[in-house]
Amino acid sequence: MSSASKLQQDLDCEIAGLEQDLIVLKRRRNALSPVSQLPSELLSKIFYLGLHFIQADEKTRTEILPEYTRLSISHVDHHWRTVALESPELWSEIHVRDTTKVEYLALARNNSKMQPLYVEGYNITLTGAAGVRHILQTEPHRINGVTLHARIEVMRSLLPDLKGSCETIEFLELNGGVVQAPVDLTQHDTFFNLPKLRHLRILYWDTLLIPSTFHPPSLVKLEITFSHHPPANHIIRATFSALRTVASTLEVLLLGFDSPFSTQNVLESIGRSPIDMPSLIFLTLLSCSPGILSKLVSHFRPPSSFREVHLVARGPSASVLEYQTIASAVQRSYASTFTPDFFLVKDPSQGGRSNPDAINIGVAQQHGRKSDQINVLSTAFFPGVAAAPTFYSTDSLKTPIIPLPSSSGWLFGTLITAVLEADLPLAFWRAFSRIPTLSTIRYLVKRPDDGFLQALQGIVASVGPVEGDEKHFPSLNIVCPFFREKDITWDVEYARSLAILLGEGWAKSHVSSSSLAILEFKGCSSENLDEETACILGSVVRGVLVWNDQEWNCREPSEGDAIDIAPEDTT
């Protein structure tokens, strides 16, 4: 070896040593950063949460590749890589896409140690199904949960492999909700029993038959939604048979018929005898066909300890006639166990939905003032573009009619609080004024002559819902109007009119309690009240007046005193 080659080799060795020293120095420097001083357990938890909240930059879930995020985390620096590789829970959730490589699947399996595995195949084709199949076949005894979002034929190809893990699966979601060719509904795919199953979600797999052997003793959550085309009758019958089998353990049930069905076929499949569900906490029923929701409401019997019941009607089933039928069924089923004291009317279009006729009505019952248990029953109606014409009240305002309140009706007889987030017609407010227990009203103001003001004007003019009835809002104690539109010019004028009409209405109704404990206005465009308006408002408030979070103190005047009202000293 020449002296030059020997010198070059020595220099290479020295460079390698210096590079290694540089790596050590960089690691020591990185270790001084605040994030590197976090405990490894906390850093691992941050990584884990990062994988669950990676949907950003308006990307759809299909465009997100969790395995790339996981690998990126492990390539930041030595400390992060060590923590990532030594955190098996970080690798135990395996997300499969059509682009996922088998090498990555092997890496995830090895790094997950012996942790139970959750496998997700989202929007996959037969290419992605091969990756899911690889995990199911290589680790059949470690599979704890599976989510498949694919065409029915893709999920069908994986059924035999899923059956190989039937003794360990606790969570299973089978979602056929992707765009696909028409399905042959004369065929069926046979499901199987999963003895340890706790959560099951079957969405839009209309040919999946649940056999009579299906009886997981620990099933607590079941969601089944039919769509695309009405399934065959034997599929529906098998579904209700399975519901009867697991009814005693279910805590959460969602059952949806998300396309027009033959109502008679569904009703025949349900059977005659009701289904008792002693453990049920949350119930959601959805239908696009008239007659089905009311039948389901009468058929399922949750205990008095239920927390939430949600009924959703879409398309043709959202007609006024159907609503009345559902209301009657609700009263028959819940009158003995549920006495609502809270009432909510909400316009779902405020949440981004474009259907102007949609409406959501909810009632709730709280067991004692300090109780955490609240029972909620809500009904949402989405008429849809192709729905039959919606019937409206005689008002010019086009709001779908909801059942008018009645002091003798079960649903309204004991109401205490009402939150009205929709612009309701005059007929509603007139009937609402006769509820004897109602003490709090929070309502949306969208126009200067809304239904509440018109109802008060009628009270002052002695135009009531029943001739000779002189008592209106007899228990009213708190009134809270709120505005959502910006730059309105009539909010102060509205407030003055409201106060004047409330005072005159009480005088007309001969109600002993003639002033409010709280009068609160929110979302007002005007920042402050002028002195005259404040005095007018104070004349109907014996407690607190609030205007846009600015609190005014109102003392109850003695006879002959001038009204004393001034803004609270915020200093």
Side-chain angles (χ1 to χ4, degrees), residues 426 430 433-434 453-472 501 503-510:
L426 172 60
R430 283 178 174 171
S433 70
R434 301 181 60 233
L453 283 192
Q454 292 183 48
L456 292 175
Q457 290 169 354
I459 292 171
V460 172
S462 297
V463 180
V466 178
E467 185 176 354
D469 186 356
E470 297 181 337
K471 287 190 177 182
H472 303 271
L501 288 171
E504 293 180 354
W506 272 316
K508 200 79 176 180
S509 296
H510 306 291

Side-chain angles (χ1 to χ4, degrees), residues 203-319:
L203 304 179
Y204 313 135
W205 192 343
D206 301 331
T207 60
L208 188 62
L209 176 71
I210 302 178
S212 58
T213 55
F214 180 78
H215 188 195
S218 301
L219 188 67
V220 295
K221 185 174 182 178
L222 177 62
E223 300 180 36
I224 301 178
T225 300
F226 298 103
S227 188
H228 303 311
H229 303 281
N233 291 345
H234 66 282
I235 299 291
I236 302 179
R237 284 196 299 270
T239 300
F240 279 99
S241 177
L243 276 172
R244 292 183 181 279
T245 303
V246 301
S248 62
T249 60
L250 281 185
E251 297 177 4
V252 179
L253 173 63
L254 184 151
L255 185 61
F257 296 87
D258 210 6
S259 63
F261 278 66
S262 169
T263 302
Q264 187 61 33
N265 290 343
V266 175
L267 298 183
E268 291 176 356
S269 301
I270 292 175
R272 294 184 177 181
S273 59
I275 301 177
D276 289 317
M277 314 191 80
S279 304
L280 199 66
I281 301 175
F282 299 97
L283 173 64
T284 300
L285 303 173
L286 181 150
S287 174
C288 291
S289 300
I292 292 181
L293 268 183
S294 56
K295 177 65 175 180
L296 294 176
V297 168
S298 303
H299 205 67
F300 293 118
R301 291 184 175 177
S304 59
S305 58
F306 79 92
R307 294 297 297 271
E308 295 182 17
V309 173
H310 301 284
L311 311 175
V312 182
R314 292 178 178 164
S317 68
S319 66

Side-chain angles (χ1 to χ4, degrees), residues 345-374:
V345 178
K346 186 174 183 179
D347 179 2
S349 63
Q350 296 291 337
R353 296 184 181 272
S354 58
N355 191 332
D357 295 338
I359 200 163
N360 189 315
I361 301 171
V363 291
Q365 175 185 3
Q366 182 171 343
H367 300 274
R369 292 184 178 272
K370 298 182 179 180
S371 173
D372 291 332
Q373 182 180 347
I374 299 177

Side-chain angles (χ1 to χ4, degrees), residues 61-350:
R61 188 167 178 177
T62 306
E63 298 172 309
I64 295 171
L65 304 176
E67 63 268 29
Y68 288 179
T69 303
R70 189 181 283 109
L71 291 175
S72 297
I73 288 172
S74 62
H75 283 75
V76 171
D77 64 16
H78 178 73
H79 178 56
W80 280 34
R81 181 174 180 81
T82 301
V83 172
L85 293 178
E86 293 179 356
S87 303
E89 66 277 1
L90 198 66
W91 303 87
S92 62
E93 296 187 5
I94 303 177
H95 304 266
V96 181
R97 304 292 188 265
D98 283 345
T99 56
T100 304
K101 295 179 173 57
V102 175
E103 293 80 6
Y104 167 76
L105 299 178
L107 177 66
R109 285 171 40 226
N110 292 332
N111 290 341
S112 64
K113 309 297 188 228
M114 294 306 295
Q115 289 275 330
L117 298 178
Y118 164 77
V119 184
E120 180 201 68
Y122 190 84
N123 209 22
I124 56 174
T125 64
L126 291 173
T127 302
V132 174
R133 184 176 296 106
H134 174 77
I135 298 295
L136 295 177
Q137 291 180 350
T138 54
E139 302 286 355
H141 303 299
R142 291 176 57 195
I143 305 299
N144 179 260
V146 178
T147 292
L148 298 179
H149 188 281
R151 296 177 180 234
I152 289 178
E153 60 266 23
V154 175
M155 296 193 297
R156 179 182 294 143
S157 70
L158 291 170
L159 270 182
D161 302 293
L162 282 173
K163 192 171 184 179
S165 298
C166 65
E167 296 293 333
T168 59
I169 292 178
E170 296 183 17
F171 172 88
L172 180 60
E173 177 177 338
L174 305 172
N175 189 334
V178 298
V179 178
Q180 57 187 323
V183 179
D184 183 0
L185 296 175
T186 62
Q187 311 251 336
H188 70 259
D189 306 290
T190 303
F191 201 41
F192 43 82
N193 193 36
L194 299 103
K196 293 187 177 180
L197 190 65
R198 294 182 55 81
H199 295 180
L200 174 61
R201 178 182 295 168
I202 303 175
L203 304 179
Y204 313 135
W205 192 343
D206 301 331
T207 60
L208 188 62
L209 176 71
I210 302 178
S212 58
T213 55
F214 180 78
H215 188 195
S218 301
L219 188 67
V220 295
K221 185 174 182 178
L222 177 62
E223 300 180 36
I224 301 178
T225 300
F226 298 103
S227 188
H228 303 311
H229 303 281
N233 291 345
H234 66 282
I235 299 291
I236 302 179
R237 284 196 299 270
T239 300
F240 279 99
S241 177
L243 276 172
R244 292 183 181 279
T245 303
V246 301
S248 62
T249 60
L250 281 185
E251 297 177 4
V252 179
L253 173 63
L254 184 151
L255 185 61
F257 296 87
D258 210 6
S259 63
F261 278 66
S262 169
T263 302
Q264 187 61 33
N265 290 343
V266 175
L267 298 183
E268 291 176 356
S269 301
I270 292 175
R272 294 184 177 181
S273 59
I275 301 177
D276 289 317
M277 314 191 80
S279 304
L280 199 66
I281 301 175
F282 299 97
L283 173 64
T284 300
L285 303 173
L286 181 150
S287 174
C288 291
S289 300
I292 292 181
L293 268 183
S294 56
K295 177 65 175 180
L296 294 176
V297 168
S298 303
H299 205 67
F300 293 118
R301 291 184 175 177
S304 59
S305 58
F306 79 92
R307 294 297 297 271
E308 295 182 17
V309 173
H310 301 284
L311 311 175
V312 182
R314 292 178 178 164
S317 68
S319 66
V320 174
L321 180 60
E322 175 71 0
Y323 190 83
Q324 295 170 346
T325 304
I326 294 172
S328 298
V330 168
Q331 179 166 349
R332 290 194 303 270
S333 300
Y334 293 93
S336 62
T337 59
F338 182 68
T339 307
D341 51 25
F342 175 88
F343 181 74
L344 169 69
V345 178
K346 186 174 183 179
D347 179 2
S349 63
Q350 296 291 337

